Structures are given as structure tokens and as C-alpha cells.
Amino acid sequence: IPGRKEVIHTSMDRAWVEVPEESLYDTLSLSMEYRIHENLPSIRFQPNRLPVRHSMDFTMLLPEDIASDSSIGLYSYDEFRDRHTFLESTIEHGVLKAGLNEFAELQIRRDINAPWVGRAKFQTHPTGYTVVHVPTVDRDSGIDYRRSMIEVNGEPGIIEYDKDKDILIFYNPDFQFSEENYDIDVSVYDRTGNVTERSYTLTLEK
């Protein structure tokens, strides 16, 4: 009911979601079902794909056999596009917590695949700086660019991520590039902690 805080839960209270006041657009009947999908927990809401005004707090008690599994994460599933979207969550002592912006099918999934990382190359940034581009792709949990690292001759820099082009970008405004060979060390993480490391030697030609 709009204007009143609600708590919706599954049978046996294995998962629940706290719906703040004014989150719902209209009065409606909501149900929440706990399922096992590919031997991992999932949640089905009815109605499904229903947006809300304010973020909702979701909690799930994980089964003991996956409670300490660092490869698992929470994903929303769009059955019409057959697409999974990684959702930021925390897991402490077997309790998963996340914020939800809609009522959508939720699935616990494993990501054991490290990101694909292509060959680094030099590029000129629109600001005039020389930067390093590293193509990288992770179709599961996605690239964690804040944790990823690129060093040039042992020097770290600022890391940005162009999600549309699947490119990590290194730049350091204090680093003076000249025509010589450079050692590039790359560590790319996804959002469940899988990592790919690469090293290259590149020659900058001006």
C-alpha cells in the first residue's frame, strides 16, 4: 500500500525485502517466491519487472554450502532479453544484502571466469595527454575498474573505464612520455574478484 512501509518475505523467511513508504505507485498485491535455479537460490516476484520510486533493502539467508563462496553474486534476470545484470551486494556471515530499484527476478550466480584482456596500445587523449588503452571484456559480473591497475614503468596512474567501448584507460598528467620502450603491467579485476594479469613492452612513436 503506498504511504506505508511493508516487508515482503518468502516462505520460511529465507529472503525478504523492505519496501519504504511511498515506494509503490499504486495499491497492488505482491508475492515473493524462493526457488532453486541451477542448484542456486533465486527469487521470483509477482508481478515481475515492476519499478519503484525508492530503493528497497533486500536480504537473503544463503545456504551453508555457498555462504562463503567468493565467486557468487546477485543478478537480476530479464527473461524477455535473456540477460543477467550484476547487482551490487554485500555478503557477511552468510547474509546477502542489496538495494533494489525494481521488483525483478533475482538469481544467485557464480562467476569463475576472469576478464578477457587484449593488447595495450598508446593513444592521444583529446586533452593532448598520451594515454594507454587496454581492451577488456567481462560478460558476467563486469569490470571492476576501481580495483584494476595499470602501471607504466612501475608508475601508477588514474584509471578510467569506457563501458561502451570496453576499454580501460590509463593516464598520468605528471608522467613524461618520450620516444622509447615502456613496460606496461596490467591487472584487471571483475566484480567478484577474478583477475587477469598481462605485461607488455610498447614503443611510443611520435
Side-chain angles (χ1 to χ4, degrees):
I1 300 175
R4 189 174 74 187
K5 181 177 180 178
E6 300 281 351
V7 179
I8 307 168
H9 56 85
T10 64
S11 61
M12 300 178 65
D13 291 330
R14 288 176 289 192
W16 59 92
V17 60
E18 300 176 37
V19 185
E21 297 179 9
E22 306 300 338
S23 286
L24 300 178
Y25 288 94
D26 201 357
T27 300
L28 73 163
S29 176
L30 286 165
S31 66
M32 181 178 178
E33 181 183 2
Y34 182 99
R35 299 177 175 181
I36 298 297
H37 176 77
E38 298 180 354
N39 296 318
L40 292 170
S42 66
I43 298 295
R44 178 77 176 184
F45 291 101
Q46 207 55 250
N48 193 27
R49 311 302 301 182
L50 180 70
V52 295
R53 287 193 179 98
H54 305 294
S55 178
M56 305 175 293
D57 293 329
F58 172 77
T59 304
M60 175 184 282
L61 306 180
L62 297 173
E64 290 185 6
D65 60 333
I66 64 169
S68 58
D69 188 341
S70 61
S71 71
I72 65 169
L74 182 67
Y75 296 74
S76 67
Y77 176 60
D78 185 340
E79 61 184 337
F80 299 106
R81 296 181 176 89
D82 191 24
R83 183 174 64 188
H84 292 87
T85 301
F86 181 83
L87 301 177
E88 294 288 349
S89 63
T90 61
I91 300 176
E92 293 185 7
H93 308 295
V95 180
L96 180 148
K97 291 183 176 294
L100 303 180
N101 294 316
E102 64 176 349
F103 290 101
E105 182 170 347
L106 304 174
Q107 295 181 3
I108 300 295
R109 291 168 55 86
R110 285 190 175 91
D111 178 5
I112 59 174
N113 300 310
W116 173 85
V117 177
R119 184 163 180 79
K121 61 181 179 181
F122 290 114
Q123 294 284 350
T124 300
H125 194 267
T127 59
Y129 290 119
T130 296
V131 299
V132 178
H133 281 192
V134 179
T136 183
V137 177
D138 189 282
R139 297 305 185 208
D140 295 314
S141 59
I143 300 297
D144 185 350
Y145 75 92
R146 292 182 178 89
R147 188 177 180 186
S148 298
M149 182 181 65
I150 301 173
E151 292 185 347
V152 177
N153 288 352
E155 293 290 333
I158 298 170
I159 304 297
E160 296 180 349
Y161 180 49
D162 188 329
K163 187 175 181 180
D164 294 330
K165 296 181 179 179
D166 293 320
I167 293 174
L168 281 176
I169 303 168
F170 163 99
Y171 74 96
N172 183 336
D174 298 323
F175 195 96
Q176 298 299 316
F177 286 94
S178 59
E179 296 183 24
E180 60 178 84
N181 294 334
Y182 292 90
D183 294 324
I184 314 293
D185 296 307
V186 177
S187 298
V188 181
Y189 287 84
D190 66 19
R191 291 196 281 181
T192 53
N194 300 304
V195 61
T196 297
E197 297 180 334
R198 294 282 188 270
S199 294
Y200 314 90
T201 298
L202 301 182
T203 301
L204 179 64
E205 299 178 0
K206 291 190 175 182

